[in-house]
Amino acid sequence: HEIISSYSLSLAVYLDQTLFVEPLIKYRTEEKKTRYLTKIAKEGVTTTSAMTEPSAGSDVLGITSKATKIQGGWLLNGNKTFITMGDQAEFYIIFAKTSEGRDKNSLTAFLVEKGQKGLVIGAPIEKIGQKGTHINELFLENLKVDDENVLGKVGQGYEIAMHSYQYGRLVIAAQALGLAEGLLKKSVNYTLTRTAFGEQINRFQLIKDYISRMDVMVETAKSLIYRSTFYEENPSLFAEFTSLSKLYATEISTEIARLAIKIHGGIGLTSEALIERGLRDAIIQEIYEGTNEIQKLIISRYATERYKR
């Protein structure tokens, strides 16, 4: 993801299967894993996860999509929005309420495939960046899901979502790092070819300042992200450091995109240079997979618990 994002963040997002594959590996039978993972690996099938609704984004317990029990399965009704790859995916994990209230056991995750009767996919929603991938509304209209396609157990949806989001945040951090490093590389090479006032601009003190700041941010993000991977077997540290990584990497990615535009000057604002695309792509990362404001709440909670001792 890191390397691909240095060339095209949209392509990295398109290839990202984390929110489907991670929970599938942990919460499904071998038969189901074989069926889905084989298609993903061999046929390049794209997947997605559908939680967000018009009135519930970061507040996952606030979703209103409902799953009603029927003989042999469930009927899903509701409306999802801002679903990445909504019309490009073949397989979906869709979250719905199987009981009333805001209890953590009120959510259940369901495996759904494109083409099932009752799954209506809306047109792509226009967005500022990441034009190579779509976001869509999904309409659940008496969508029937068999009991065998409940992911994990009934009422385990919140746990599944939180598990998958931790891995998702680490992937997004890696994508943000790749985007930032790609912009740094372009900026360095531009300063070596661009002249002003009779000199290469990489000789100017202000340009040196920009480049050094960008390099410090890239290397710090890289250290934080790579360090996070060592904590996978420690649930609390892994949760904290994936949030730390997502928060820091996405924020420095946006800042580096701003600095890259400054270094490139007027040409940095044009589409042909592909620099302004970096800013448009980067800023979206601060919103999805848990806004950066939510990451701050998570980090604060874990830091308080650790240091109060």
Side-chain angles (χ1 to χ4, degrees):
H1 287 282
E2 182 183 339
I3 299 300
I4 295 171
S5 297
S6 68
Y7 296 94
S8 171
L9 182 60
S10 287
L11 179 58
V13 171
Y14 185 87
L15 296 174
D16 182 12
Q17 309 278 11
T18 309
L19 295 189
F20 187 93
V21 170
E22 280 296 335
L24 186 73
I25 290 173
K26 182 171 182 177
Y27 294 96
R28 280 311 288 174
T29 62
E30 288 302 316
E31 181 271 328
K32 285 291 182 184
K33 284 191 282 189
T34 300
R35 165 177 165 70
Y36 288 107
L37 294 178
T38 299
K39 281 186 169 289
I40 293 169
K42 289 188 175 181
E43 301 176 22
V45 169
T46 303
T47 65
T48 193
S49 174
M51 176 73 82
T52 302
E53 298 184 357
S55 60
S58 299
D59 179 18
V60 299
L61 293 176
I63 68 169
T64 58
S65 292
K66 292 185 178 180
T68 305
K69 190 71 181 78
I70 59 173
Q71 186 174 1
W74 300 80
L75 281 183
L76 275 59
N77 285 279
N79 178 199
K80 301 294 183 180
T81 192
F82 299 132
I83 305 306
T84 304
M85 313 292 295
D87 63 347
Q88 295 165 304
E90 294 292 330
F91 300 148
Y92 305 76
I93 293 175
I94 297 180
F95 294 86
K97 283 286 186 75
T98 45
S99 64
E100 298 293 333
R102 295 181 56 84
D103 187 272
K104 290 182 179 179
N105 297 318
S106 63
L107 295 183
T108 299
F110 299 88
L111 291 169
V112 175
E113 298 185 25
K114 179 180 280 187
Q116 285 187 226
K117 184 179 179 181
L119 176 62
V120 180
I121 302 171
I125 301 168
E126 285 296 319
K127 59 186 187 299
I128 189 174
Q130 298 185 23
K131 298 292 188 177
T133 56
H134 295 172
I135 55 173
N136 305 77
E137 282 190 285
L138 301 181
F139 302 95
L140 316 177
E141 300 176 353
N142 285 327
L143 170 62
K144 184 179 179 181
V145 181
D146 295 336
D147 282 328
E148 66 177 20
N149 284 328
V150 171
L151 183 59
K153 300 176 182 178
V154 174
Q156 205 173 13
Y158 183 84
E159 176 189 327
I160 291 170
M162 295 304 106
H163 168 79
S164 61
Y165 290 164
Q166 288 177 15
Y167 287 92
R169 286 164 186 161
L170 193 57
V171 169
I172 288 170
Q175 291 173 348
L177 170 61
L179 175 61
E181 196 162 18
L183 289 168
L184 173 56
K185 182 178 180 180
K186 289 178 181 177
S187 297
V188 167
N189 283 283
Y190 182 75
T191 67
L192 295 172
T193 57
R194 170 68 170 167
T195 60
F197 305 103
E199 291 189 81
Q200 288 183 344
I201 65 171
N202 72 311
R203 296 178 182 274
F204 298 161
Q205 187 172 351
L206 188 56
I207 296 298
K208 291 178 183 290
D209 174 72
Y210 288 164
I211 295 298
S212 65
R213 287 165 56 192
M214 294 163 81
D215 192 37
V216 168
M217 288 187 280
V218 162
E219 293 304 322
T220 303
K222 189 176 296 186
S223 297
L224 190 57
I225 292 165
Y226 290 6
R227 183 181 176 189
S228 298
T229 63
F230 290 104
Y231 295 135
E232 187 176 3
E233 302 302 320
N234 186 320
S236 61
L237 282 175
F238 188 64
E240 179 182 358
F241 272 80
T242 53
S243 286
L244 280 166
S245 297
K246 197 271 184 181
L247 172 66
Y248 184 76
T250 58
E251 288 192 345
I252 66 100
S253 184
T254 302
E255 176 60 16
I256 285 174
R258 288 181 60 255
L259 291 173
I261 290 174
K262 288 186 175 185
I263 289 171
H264 283 77
I267 197 171
L269 300 173
T270 66
S271 298
E272 65 178 284
L274 299 180
I275 301 300
E276 55 82 33
R277 185 186 74 174
L279 181 59
R280 291 187 290 105
D281 285 352
I283 200 166
I284 301 175
Q285 297 177 112
E286 298 186 33
I287 305 297
Y288 56 40
E289 208 69 45
T291 66
N292 280 7
E293 287 69 30
I294 289 294
Q295 305 316 310
K296 292 174 183 178
L297 296 178
I298 295 171
I299 293 164
S300 174
R301 183 171 71 246
Y302 281 106
T304 300
E305 184 63 27
R306 185 169 69 253
Y307 287 112
K308 74 178 183 180
R309 302 192 188 101

